[in-house]
């Protein structure tokens, strides 16, 4: 099995890589990093440096990986050194909004465009993007975090749209958006204080949830927004 994990140096991405190597030791894994040089090495793991917001980087990576069974996009951002997610529309900043869209929305469209051919080679394939429940329009009861929420809502629309197109073009591919739950990582660090300890997952637990979900999902179940516990979320 050939797997690509984009964002393999992230809290969740690295845990997915490590869990996959543990439960399926013969899997051939390709993983990407951006700023952080990967420390973790394994004979079945191949690292690629890639800025996944750039189409030429994605295109070049796709040329190197013509056959894939699973593609998981675990790249994302919630805050930068200059900006925390907004509590009010008065804190809205155009550049921060664009960075959210560029990092959380755009890459999955570019990945789908350039890795469609690679996923077509497999008799059963998976295209997974790590989204977030706060991107659900129906579930939005609290407001706030307007740039992150909007970028994940747009991501969800992109995933749903790709899943519909691929029902005919890639009928063996299951396309899903996955909500990981609050997971201890650099992304969630500034917000962990108010989370009850049993609701703050380890990246290992989150990766296990995703991988056990993939083990039972069939291509007929494509086009869903799924939570770590296997429940379907409203788009
Ligand atoms: N953690 C949570 O509680 C939580 C909750 C809901 C949803 N999520 C979602 O889960 C996903 C993973 O989050 P995480 O918690 O694992 O975050 P994280 O630990 O901060 O990891 C983020 C990853 O994204 C990569 N990255 C950022 N910008 C990139 C770019 N332009 N090109 C390529 N790679 C880039 C980083 O690579 P480098 O480190 O190499 O720069 C890193 O691998 C995100 O989509 C996030 O929105 C997380």
């Amino acid at each position: 099995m050939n797997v690509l994990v984009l964002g393999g140096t992230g809290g969740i991405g690295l845990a997915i890589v490590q869990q996959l190597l543990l439960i399926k030791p013969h899997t051939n894994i390709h993983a990407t990093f951006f700023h952080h040089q990967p420390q973790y090495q394994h004979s079945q793991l191949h690292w690629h440096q890639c800025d996944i917001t750039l189409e030429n980087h994605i295109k070049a990576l796709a040329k190197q990986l013509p056959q894939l069974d699973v593609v998981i996009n675990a790249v994302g951002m919630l805050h930068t050194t200059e900006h925390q997610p907004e509590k009010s529309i008065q804190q809205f900043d155009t550049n921060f909004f664009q960075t959210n869209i560029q990092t959380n929305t755009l890459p999955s469209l570019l990945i789908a465009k350039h890795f469609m051919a690679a996923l077509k080679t497999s008799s059963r394939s998976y295209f997974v993007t790590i989204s977030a429940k706060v991107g659900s329009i129906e579930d939005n009861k609290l407001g706030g975090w307007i740039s992150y929420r909007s970028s994940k809502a747009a991501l969800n629309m992109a995933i749903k749209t790709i899943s519909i197109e691929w029902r005919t073009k890639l009928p063996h591919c299951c396309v899903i958006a996955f909500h990981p739950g609050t997971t201890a990582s650099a992304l969630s660090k500034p917000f962990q204080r108010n989370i009850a300890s049993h609701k703050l997952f380890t990246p290992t637990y989150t990766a296990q949830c995703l991988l056990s979900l993939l083990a039972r999902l069939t291509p007929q179940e494509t086009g869903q927004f799924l939570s770590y516990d296997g429940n379907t979320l409203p788009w």
Side-chain angles (χ1 to χ4, degrees), residues 6-14 32-38 49-54 57 73-79 102-104 107 129-134 148 152 155 178-189 192 200-201 203 206:
L6 298 122
T9 44
I12 295 173
L14 180 61
T32 72
F33 66 100
F34 182 31
H35 296 112
H36 297 103
Q37 199 66 29
Q49 187 164 24
C50 184
D51 178 353
I52 78 163
T53 66
L54 299 177
H57 281 211
N73 178 13
V75 168
M77 59 79 61
L78 171 62
H79 48 86
Q102 212 175 2
T103 313
N104 296 333
T129 289
I130 315 290
S131 183
K133 195 160 89 170
V134 297
Y148 184 72
K152 291 291 189 180
L155 168 69
F178 176 78
H179 166 61
T182 307
T183 306
S185 71
L187 182 142
S188 66
K189 200 163 177 62
Q192 291 172 8
L200 180 65
F201 302 151
T206 302

Side-chain angles (χ1 to χ4, degrees), residues 21-194:
L21 287 166
L22 205 66
I23 59 175
K24 288 193 184 290
H26 299 296
T27 306
N28 202 19
I29 305 189
H30 296 271
T32 72
F33 66 100
F34 182 31
H35 296 112
H36 297 103
Q37 199 66 29
Q39 305 294 313
Y40 182 73
Q41 303 291 338
H42 190 283
S43 56
Q44 296 291 113
L45 173 63
H46 314 275
W47 285 106
H48 305 262
Q49 187 164 24
C50 184
D51 178 353
I52 78 163
T53 66
L54 299 177
E55 183 161 11
N56 59 339
H57 281 211
I58 298 282
K59 198 173 170 182
L61 186 63
K63 275 210 172 121
Q64 293 176 60
L65 309 173
Q67 283 192 313
L68 289 168
D69 303 287
V70 181
V71 172
I72 301 173
N73 178 13
V75 168
M77 59 79 61
L78 171 62
H79 48 86
T80 63
T81 42
E82 294 86 34
H83 286 280
Q84 290 299 311
E86 309 88 342
K87 289 183 178 155
S88 157
I89 190 65
Q90 296 309 317
Q91 293 167 341
F92 181 82
D93 176 88
T94 303
N95 288 336
F96 183 62
F97 177 73
Q98 284 170 342
T99 305
N100 270 271
I101 295 287
Q102 212 175 2
T103 313
N104 296 333
T105 314
L106 174 75
S108 288
L109 285 98
L110 296 175
I111 296 161
K113 176 180 173 184
H114 291 287
F115 285 95
M116 183 174 165
L119 288 169
K120 215 171 185 168
T121 62
S122 172
S123 57
R124 176 177 285 203
S125 60
Y126 294 88
F127 180 65
V128 180
T129 289
I130 315 290
S131 183
K133 195 160 89 170
V134 297
S136 165
I137 292 174
E138 201 177 321
D139 187 72
N140 186 0
K141 310 280 191 297
L142 288 175
W145 293 17
I146 198 162
S147 294
Y148 184 72
R149 276 188 195 276
S150 303
S151 68
K152 291 291 189 180
L155 168 69
N156 288 351
M157 178 56 90
I159 293 301
K160 178 78 182 174
T161 304
I162 291 161
S163 77
I164 293 168
E165 179 184 333
W166 286 7
R167 256 182 217 152
T168 46
K169 293 185 181 158
L170 264 76
H172 303 296
C173 185
C174 183
V175 179
I176 63 155
F178 176 78
H179 166 61
T182 307
T183 306
S185 71
L187 182 142
S188 66
K189 200 163 177 62
F191 311 96
Q192 291 172 8
R193 246 172 303 136
N194 302 326

